[in-house]
Amino acid sequence: MIRKLMAAGLALGMSVTAAMAAEVKVGFVTTLTTPAAVIGDDMKKAVELAEEHMGGKMGNLDLKVIFADDGFKPETGKQATDKLVKQDDVNFVAGYIWSHVLLASRKSVLDAGKFLISANAGPSQMAGKLCDKNFFSTSWQNDQTPMAMGEVLNQKGVKSLYLMAPNYAAGKDMMAGVKRTFKGEIKGEDLTKWGADAQLDFSAELAKAKASGAEAIFVFYPGKAGGAFIKQYQQAGLQGTMPLYSVFTVDAIALPKLQAGKLEGVLGSRMTQEWDPTLDNEQNKKFVADFKAKYGTYPSFYAAQSYDAMFLIKSAVEAVNGDLTNIDGMRAAMEKADYPSVRGKYTYGNNHFPIENFYLREVVKDADGNWTTKVTATVYKDNQDPYHAECKM
């Protein structure tokens, strides 16, 4: 009798272990509190849509996603990442809106031998000297999008520019990117306070920009700050006299609010990006249509990159038939970027950042009168970030 009970207990223990092994766990770090949660919520929606499209499975494994809030702070993001790695024992950590949060959290994941997937942040350090074999991006390196905008400015014959961005890693990269390609004169620049108590009053900086004599203004203000800037730019009477060029400022999150506020000046404005809801491939069509049907709005590029991150992970898990101990096999699979990306086919560089196209997009009204964007030109084809040569892995 005792032997039978012991055998039953052993069988139960083995079945529990097997059940645990039949699950792939993804930790997803984003901002779910503070005003910046408008971005994090869009990313979370995209991840949940990806789960739905996958049927809750990656190959033969059940999929479990654990969301974590970085609170828009590097120290909070690191704590959230530590918990995912040490307590939840996730197989992959993905997400990360902010470069300073990603930089603070990277070692927690990589030193544990786990995979780290950035669905947005692309700090120059991680494309160069801090590159790592287990880090991948499904977005871009920070400099690339403003580099494309610099080319657009040259094509339009803009001769002088005033720069504004938040004072943190990505803001500095954005300025560096546009400076790298813009051939005209930089008349002045401002780095404004960022974080949970980010500066939202830009009247002093706009006055400086106007007084500088610059022909145009370039800004990078994601999330709530973007809407605040555009409203004040219009109120300052600069529209029509000092054209606005931006990256990561006018997006699918901001546009419904700008439309509700009747800020018509944003129509026709242009920005650069590696993705657009009008890109003509089957995965993108399904993603955009189902996102709109489920949530009632267009997805943002943050959402698109998060959706891609989940399918990149799925490609890795399925390539090794669910053997999550086969780290080398999963890495090799991700290096191929052999999954249906919403941006279309791309490849990975030696630093695991995408080599991809960048497009010029214009704000337009869709058939239903909703403000959205469309692609008007391809600025770069198969563009690789400028820091890959510094990556020695």
Side-chain angles (χ1 to χ4, degrees):
M1 182 67 178
I2 292 174
R3 287 181 181 176
K4 288 182 179 179
L5 287 171
M6 288 176 65
L10 181 61
L12 178 62
M14 290 174 66
S15 68
V16 169
T17 302
M20 290 176 68
E23 180 179 69
V24 55
K25 291 194 283 187
V26 177
F28 197 91
V29 180
T30 189
T31 308
L32 299 173
T33 55
T34 80
V38 294
I39 299 174
D41 288 343
D42 217 51
M43 295 172 78
K44 184 172 183 286
K45 288 174 181 176
V47 170
E48 290 170 343
L49 182 61
E51 287 184 85
E52 186 179 309
H53 284 172
M54 294 173 187
K57 306 275 287 187
M58 287 185 173
N60 61 344
L61 302 185
D62 290 332
L63 170 60
K64 181 177 182 180
V65 179
I66 304 171
F67 291 99
D69 179 24
D70 62 29
F72 204 174
K73 295 179 180 178
E75 58 272 22
T76 306
K78 183 182 182 303
Q79 290 166 4
T81 303
D82 284 340
K83 179 182 180 299
L84 289 170
V85 171
K86 296 175 182 178
Q87 295 183 34
D88 298 311
D89 193 26
V90 297
N91 308 104
F92 299 83
V93 183
Y96 299 97
I97 302 171
W98 316 109
S99 291
H100 57 332
V101 175
L102 178 61
L103 287 167
S105 304
R106 57 176 291 279
K107 282 180 65 64
S108 297
V109 183
L110 299 173
D111 287 358
K114 298 180 185 289
F115 288 108
L116 176 60
I117 317 291
S118 175
N120 194 66
S124 53
Q125 298 93 323
M126 294 188 69
K129 294 178 181 178
L130 293 183
C131 67
D132 190 278
K133 64 183 181 179
N134 287 342
F135 171 80
F136 288 83
S137 164
T138 55
S139 56
W140 23 256
Q141 191 280 315
N142 288 341
D143 292 39
Q144 288 177 285
T145 306
M147 282 171 63
M149 180 53 78
E151 293 290 359
V152 171
L153 290 164
N154 295 335
Q155 292 166 13
K156 290 187 170 296
V158 175
K159 302 301 183 188
S160 61
L161 199 60
Y162 196 93
L163 311 180
M164 287 178 60
N167 189 12
Y168 79 115
K172 294 172 184 177
D173 280 348
M174 297 299 160
M175 283 192 175
V178 77
K179 288 177 183 177
R180 189 182 293 274
T181 55
F182 178 59
K183 296 177 181 177
E185 180 185 0
I186 304 298
K187 290 282 193 178
E189 55 188 77
D190 281 301
L191 285 166
T192 57
K193 188 177 181 182
W194 197 239
D197 58 345
Q199 178 179 329
L200 296 176
D201 181 354
F202 305 107
S203 54
E205 288 79 11
L206 284 166
K208 285 172 62 180
K210 187 175 182 179
S212 73
E215 184 179 334
I217 186 168
F218 166 86
V219 303
F220 159 67
Y221 280 111
K224 185 178 180 180
F229 177 86
I230 290 168
K231 184 176 181 179
Q232 291 167 45
Y233 162 81
Q234 192 164 318
Q235 290 172 341
L238 296 180
Q239 185 181 327
T241 62
M242 193 177 193
L244 173 63
Y245 296 89
S246 68
V247 291
F248 307 114
T249 300
V250 178
D251 56 32
I253 297 171
L255 282 173
K257 296 173 183 176
L258 295 170
Q259 184 171 9
K262 299 181 179 179
L263 295 175
E264 299 278 343
V266 78
L267 286 170
S269 64
R270 296 183 175 186
M271 69 290 302
T272 45
Q273 194 72 52
E274 97 291 5
W275 172 85
D276 189 81
T278 61
L279 291 182
D280 189 13
N281 65 73
E282 289 305 312
Q283 185 83 336
N284 197 45
K285 289 176 181 177
K286 179 176 175 60
F287 167 61
V288 173
D290 289 358
F291 193 98
K292 286 175 67 180
K294 189 176 180 69
Y295 304 117
T297 61
Y298 280 94
S300 66
F301 62 86
Y302 301 104
Q305 294 157 184
S306 300
Y307 185 85
D308 266 6
M310 296 301 292
F311 277 88
L312 175 67
I313 293 169
K314 181 175 184 284
S315 73
V317 173
E318 293 181 352
V320 297
N321 297 314
D323 179 7
L324 300 177
T325 65
N326 188 353
I327 301 297
D328 291 342
M330 289 191 287
R331 184 189 309 112
M334 287 192 285
E335 286 176 339
K336 294 176 183 177
D338 187 18
Y339 73 98
S341 169
V342 295
R343 83 200 71 187
K345 184 65 180 173
Y346 70 90
T347 59
Y348 274 116
N350 61 300
N351 57 1
H352 295 167
F353 275 81
I355 299 174
E356 59 193 339
N357 295 350
F358 285 83
Y359 305 99
L360 180 61
R361 309 193 309 166
E362 181 180 344
V363 179
V364 296
K365 291 182 181 179
D366 69 11
D368 299 317
N370 298 311
W371 294 5
T372 182
T373 60
K374 70 173 184 180
V375 171
T376 60
T378 300
V379 182
Y380 284 142
K381 188 168 178 59
D382 296 331
N383 182 259
Q384 187 169 20
D385 72 90
Y387 298 95
H388 71 276
E390 299 176 18
C391 175
K392 302 304 181 185
M393 71 177 177

